[in-house]
Structure formats: structure tokens, C-alpha cells
Amino acid sequence: MNPCPIVPAPRTYRPCDGFFLLPSGGNVVRLLTKKLDSSISGEESYRLEITPDDVVLTASAPCGLFRGFQSLKQLVFLAKDGRLPCAVIEDSPRFAVRSFLLDSARHMPSVEEIFRMIDGAALFKLNRMHWHVSDDQGFRIESEVFPRLNTVGSYRDGDTFGGEKKPGRIGGYYTKEQVKEIVRYAASKYIEVVPEFDMPGHVSAILASYPELSCHGGEYCVRTEGGIFPDLLCAGKQSVMNWIVQLLDEMLPLFPSEFVHIGGDEAPKGQWYSCEDCLRLMREKGMKNAEELQQYFTLQVCDYLKSKGKRAIVWNESLKAGALPPQITVQYWLGDKKTTLEHMAGGGQVIASEMKYMYADYPFFMTPLSKTYRYDPFPHHPEAVAGVETTLWSEYITTEARLHEMAFPRIAAAAEVGWTEKTGKKYARFHRNIKRLLPLLRSMGIAAAPVRDWSGASPRALREMARFLHRTSAGKMVPRQMQNIKEEKRLARLQGFSD
Ligand code: ACM
Ligand code: ZN
């Protein structure tokens, strides 16, 4: 028996007798026959046939040829003595979206580093990079319309992540030319870049640049630490929505994707409950609470995106006041699944990135690799699952080496969740296969986390866990969040709302 060594495991793999002899140096590209055949259904699907005489890759679209070529690249790398075992592979993805989130707001990888991440993701047939480019700790894209987003919002005064102090002016931004280069590079690997402009919360960097977008004006700073902050864009001033429209008008042309992520997570509503404009709007519209105001705000932005031919993605907290129209995609990460299930029942699509399984920034002790691998998103509603995403939040990812070991092999496990049919998954086989592919990643400049850490039980994994606990407690994230919630409830009650 000749087991399939490809990651993610293909739909079918049929080993055959014999070998195709690779040319010296292993360069199969010149010998490969590529065919387009419209009878193959699905633009990412492909058929790879290796016989003693030739290697034939067939797909209905160039994207399928590219995905099939990743399988071939792995097989060629693993071939012993220049002999490629004969086989027929017929393959197509389980879910339409296989994504990774890159957080450039907390720490900002260089363009070359992003290219390497895209290379690694492409090897495992991911097709989306969710690019988190705006948060409390920095705004990361050049803006000519709102230049203070760069002169002020792209830099913070030192770092205090996890209580560790680092002095200096920290940050930067990608020029529009660099953004285009990244989008083009990703597209050449059939990966679409979906930007995220998080709102109405996670906006300290925007408010530090333009305080008039807040409820109360005053001083804001680009945050130097992680966590959830009370800073919000004001939802009661028309001028704020006008500003968002202008920002989107400037940013959208950089991103050809049909999708734009507009965040919506972790937005404690204290500021809205103490803002004349927000309160006036809530009362005028007969809203029960500020969650309804977030829904109203979100719908305005989504409607604008729709008028531009774009579709919005929002984090699942955006549903707290009830359903959103089904053309909006919801990304589920944490909390009650009820509203997300209602969205699915109403015909909406969901991207599944449940924190316990898919957050790649958590130590292996908390989320062993096998746990990510075994993730089965919304098993009773697979038809409403657009896909899956693993997230690389970067509060504590300060170097490329760290980025690589947090991302790999986690991305490969997430890729198999997204690509391989449930019945074709087997952790022991995945573990063996991905281990054998680590030198291929290394040859691409990517050093994955060491195998002994993957279960979370190695001494190093335990030290990582201890560091994680130390950072989160030193950063006092949980007590600050509790304080935000208490304040929101107090102000809601004071204003006669039901919180
Ligand atoms: C999130 O992790 N705040 C979406
Ligand atoms: Zn307001």
C-alpha cells in the first residue's frame, strides 16, 4: 500500500504500479502536461495522473491547475531516488473559503515576510488572506485623503504588551504601491486578500488621528498594549458615516476582492450610552439598547459596500441585536452560537474560526495541533459554512521566526479542515505527512514549530504557556474588560435602556 502523502489530503488518491522517473534536479515543470477541461466541475478542482510515461494535470481553470501543482510539488519533494510513484488523484475542496488572518496592526510584517506567508499558505491550498490592517495599535495603509491616519495613527509611543516595556516610536504603514504588490502576489497564487477595517470598536488609532470621529472628542492615543478598549466611532453623527464612506472610497480600489471585512467585535458601548448624538438617534429610532445602534451602524456600512458592488463580512458580535441580511457573511469566533445559527437558517453564510480550535496565536498547550485538526465547523449546517479561517493575532508575534512557528503547521491543519472531506481525515496520517513536509517549508524560508511542541506537552510548550499566562495577567486584560462591561451596564441603566 502506498499511502497518500499530500497535505491537505485529496478527495481520492489511487496508487498505481510503477514510477515516473524525474529528470535530474527534480524539475518536473518542463515535463508536465497541463490541460484545461471544462468537464471538471469547480474552478479549484483538478485531476493529476502520474504514469511511467508522463504527468498530466487537468483542471477546468488555471486556479485548479495551480492547486494541483501544489500537490505535485509536494510529491516531487518527497520522491525518493528521483522516482515519482504512479497514482491518480482527483481532488476538490470541501469548503469554498480556506483563510488565514494576518494581523499587521499589532505588529507589522515586511512585504517580503508577507510574501513568504502567502507562499506557505498557497502550498496547502489556502485561498484567502484576511488582512487585519486597522486596530487600536495602528492603522497600516497609506491614506492620502486622511493623512493623519499615517502621521499619527500608524505609530505608537512604545509598546507595553503584556506589561513588557519597549520604548521608541513603533509602527509604520504599507504604501498603496506595496498593498497593490501584496494583492498581486497573492493573486498569482490564487489567494484573495480581504482587508479588515475594524469598526465601530478597535479604533483607537483612527480616533487618535481624528478625535472628532468619537462621541466626545478629546484626546485619544494609539494604544501600546493589547486588550479591549472603550474607544468607539460615534454612531450618532452623520459626519462619521460620511468619513467612513470617504475612507472606503479610497481603500476599496486597492482590493479587488468582492468581500470587505468591517469587524464589529469587542465594542463595549459605554461611550454611546453617554453621547448626546448616539442617545438622540437611539431614542428617535425607538431602539431598545446600544446593540441595536451597532446593528444600525453596521447596516449603513454594509449598504454602502453593497452600492459599490462589495459584500461585507462581520464578526459574530455584530448579530447581538438580531439577524443581518443573508448577503452579509458572519465570521464566528466566540460566544453564543444562537444568533449565528439563526443567520445560517436565514440563508446567510458563515466563516468558522472558533477561538478554541482555530486561533493560531494561542500556545499549543491550550490548543494542541490535533485540536485544530479535529475542528468540525457547524456539523449540522455544512451548507451554510462558507469556509474556515485560522487567525494569527500578533500582539505577541514580534519577529518573523515567531510568526512562522505560530503559523506553521497550524495553517496546514486548518487547510485540511477546510479542504478535506470529513471522512478522509485522520490525524495520525496528517501528523506523519506534515512532518515529512517540514524540510520543504524550510527550503521556502519557513521554520515551523518543532514537532515535539505540537501536542502542547513538551517542556518548551509548557514554558510558552507560562509566558502566555504571565503576559495576559500582567496586561490585566480580563479585569479591564470586566470594568468596560460594568461601565456599559451602569450607563445603560442610567439612560433608561435595558443594556
Ligand atoms: C477577535 O478575536 N476579537 C475577533
Ligand atoms: Zn456618539
Side-chain angles (χ1 to χ4, degrees):
M1 180 60 188
N2 179 7
C4 179
I6 298 167
V7 176
R11 190 170 291 272
T12 64
Y13 173 86
R14 191 156 47 80
C16 309
D17 290 340
F19 296 91
F20 176 84
L21 295 181
L22 291 166
S24 60
N27 187 350
V28 80
V29 177
R30 272 182 299 135
L31 296 182
L32 175 67
T33 307
K34 288 185 187 176
K35 288 186 189 164
L36 285 175
D37 176 350
S38 59
S39 71
I40 292 191
S41 91
E43 66 160 20
E44 291 194 289
S45 311
Y46 68 92
R47 176 184 162 90
L48 179 61
E49 195 165 0
I50 304 166
T51 68
D53 301 322
D54 53 14
V55 178
V56 182
L57 181 55
T58 314
S60 66
C63 173
L65 293 176
F66 183 83
R67 302 282 180 251
F69 191 73
Q70 304 314 302
S71 295
L72 182 60
K73 186 169 164 178
Q74 295 183 11
L75 292 173
V76 169
F77 178 78
L78 297 167
K80 287 201 185 78
D81 309 322
R83 299 186 321 163
L84 195 58
C86 291
V88 178
I89 296 164
E90 286 177 310
D91 202 5
S92 54
R94 178 176 183 211
F95 294 119
V97 176
R98 288 100 43 212
S99 176
F100 71 104
L101 178 148
L102 187 75
D103 171 11
S104 284
R106 277 54 178 263
H107 287 100
M108 189 186 160
S110 67
V111 173
E112 291 70 28
E113 286 174 45
I114 295 178
F115 283 2
R116 269 190 290 280
M117 286 297 295
I118 290 170
D119 292 343
L123 180 65
F124 301 113
K125 303 187 177 72
L126 263 57
N127 63 358
R128 181 176 289 182
M129 179 172 106
H130 168 180
W131 197 13
H132 190 76
V133 289
S134 172
D135 210 303
D136 298 304
Q137 297 80 3
F139 188 90
R140 295 285 171 244
I141 298 194
E142 178 186 9
S143 173
E144 290 158 286
V145 178
F146 299 115
R148 284 175 63 82
L149 284 176
N150 301 132
T151 54
V152 177
S154 293
Y155 294 92
R156 55 182 180 254
D157 185 13
D159 268 357
T160 50
F161 286 103
E164 287 167 27
K165 288 200 168 57
K166 211 198 250 173
R169 189 169 182 252
I170 295 174
Y173 58 93
Y174 304 96
T175 64
K176 288 183 180 172
E177 275 318 304
Q178 287 174 320
V179 171
K180 286 183 200 159
E181 213 186 326
I182 288 166
V183 169
R184 259 198 313 269
Y185 187 77
S188 75
K189 315 243 159 188
Y190 296 92
I191 291 180
E192 69 173 334
V193 178
V194 173
E196 180 184 351
F197 302 98
D198 205 345
M199 60 181 92
H202 286 282
V203 290
S204 302
I206 294 177
L207 297 187
S209 315
Y210 296 97
E212 63 272 25
L213 302 173
S214 67
C215 286
H216 306 287
E219 295 247 318
Y220 289 84
C221 69
V222 183
R223 299 287 181 166
T224 61
E225 65 204 315
I228 303 171
F229 300 97
D231 305 345
L232 294 182
L233 290 171
C234 178
K237 297 180 183 54
Q238 186 55 44
S239 56
V240 175
M241 197 48 66
N242 298 345
W243 188 92
I244 293 169
V245 162
Q246 283 184 76
L247 179 73
L248 291 173
D249 281 349
E250 185 183 15
M251 296 294 144
L252 295 185
L254 300 171
F255 299 98
S257 171
E258 184 190 2
F259 292 94
V260 180
H261 204 305
I262 55 165
D265 58 323
E266 299 178 324
K269 308 292 186 306
Q271 294 188 349
W272 286 0
Y273 280 123
S274 57
C275 166
E276 267 177 32
D277 299 307
C278 287
L279 289 167
R280 188 183 320 110
L281 185 60
M282 284 166 69
R283 290 190 173 117
E284 228 174 74
K285 301 272 177 201
M287 293 176 188
K288 283 201 295 296
N289 56 37
E291 296 304 340
E292 294 195 356
L293 184 55
Q294 178 166 351
Q295 183 189 55
Y296 179 84
F297 171 93
T298 303
L299 280 172
Q300 279 181 292
V301 182
C302 293
D303 283 348
Y304 184 69
L305 288 172
K306 194 171 166 194
S307 76
K308 295 277 148 188
K310 300 278 185 182
R311 291 177 61 188
I313 305 176
V314 296
W315 294 108
N316 62 291
E317 287 105 310
S318 308
L319 300 178
K320 277 189 185 164
L324 290 170
Q327 62 271 21
I328 298 170
T329 299
V330 169
Q331 182 164 8
Y332 178 81
W333 72 286
L334 184 66
D336 191 357
K337 290 202 178 92
K338 191 167 157 270
T339 52
T340 303
L341 288 165
E342 281 165 11
H343 182 71
M344 295 166 117
Q349 292 268 296
V350 167
I351 293 170
S353 53
E354 196 162 346
M355 191 174 83
K356 296 197 289 234
Y357 299 92
M358 298 299 269
Y359 270 39
D361 51 320
Y362 283 90
F364 284 113
F365 183 87
M366 277 173 79
T367 316
L369 190 63
S370 57
K371 190 165 173 182
T372 298
Y373 185 83
R374 295 200 171 101
Y375 184 41
D376 185 8
F378 298 94
H380 304 298
H381 307 276
E383 71 296 337
V385 177
V388 296
E389 178 175 294
T390 184
T391 60
L392 285 151
W393 299 108
S394 69
E395 282 90 338
Y396 307 115
I397 299 181
T398 54
T399 63
E400 187 177 18
R402 183 81 187 140
L403 180 62
H404 287 174
E405 62 176 31
M406 296 310 275
F408 298 95
R410 188 83 70 186
I411 276 181
E416 198 145 321
V417 175
W419 182 280
T420 305
E421 283 302 320
K422 256 198 302 197
T423 48
K425 281 169 68 189
K426 206 169 208 196
Y427 184 66
R429 189 214 50 233
F430 166 78
H431 189 278
R432 187 186 61 233
N433 287 352
I434 189 63
K435 220 161 85 178
R436 293 177 68 204
L437 290 170
L438 296 182
L440 174 57
L441 277 174
R442 222 169 292 130
S443 74
M444 296 160 62
I446 296 171
V451 179
R452 62 183 175 281
D453 290 359
W454 299 354
S455 68
S458 71
R460 185 170 175 270
L462 293 174
R463 281 198 301 278
E464 287 286 332
M465 185 63 208
R467 265 176 68 198
F468 175 83
L469 289 175
H470 171 74
R471 279 165 164 170
T472 41
S473 59
K476 299 193 174 63
M477 270 152 67
V478 175
R480 268 194 288 136
Q481 171 60 351
M482 299 310 290
Q483 185 54 36
N484 282 333
I485 294 170
K486 254 173 74 183
E487 183 62 1
E488 175 178 334
K489 285 185 187 301
R490 187 184 72 78
L491 289 166
R493 275 196 301 273
L494 191 72
Q495 295 297 340
F497 287 98
S498 59
D499 72 46

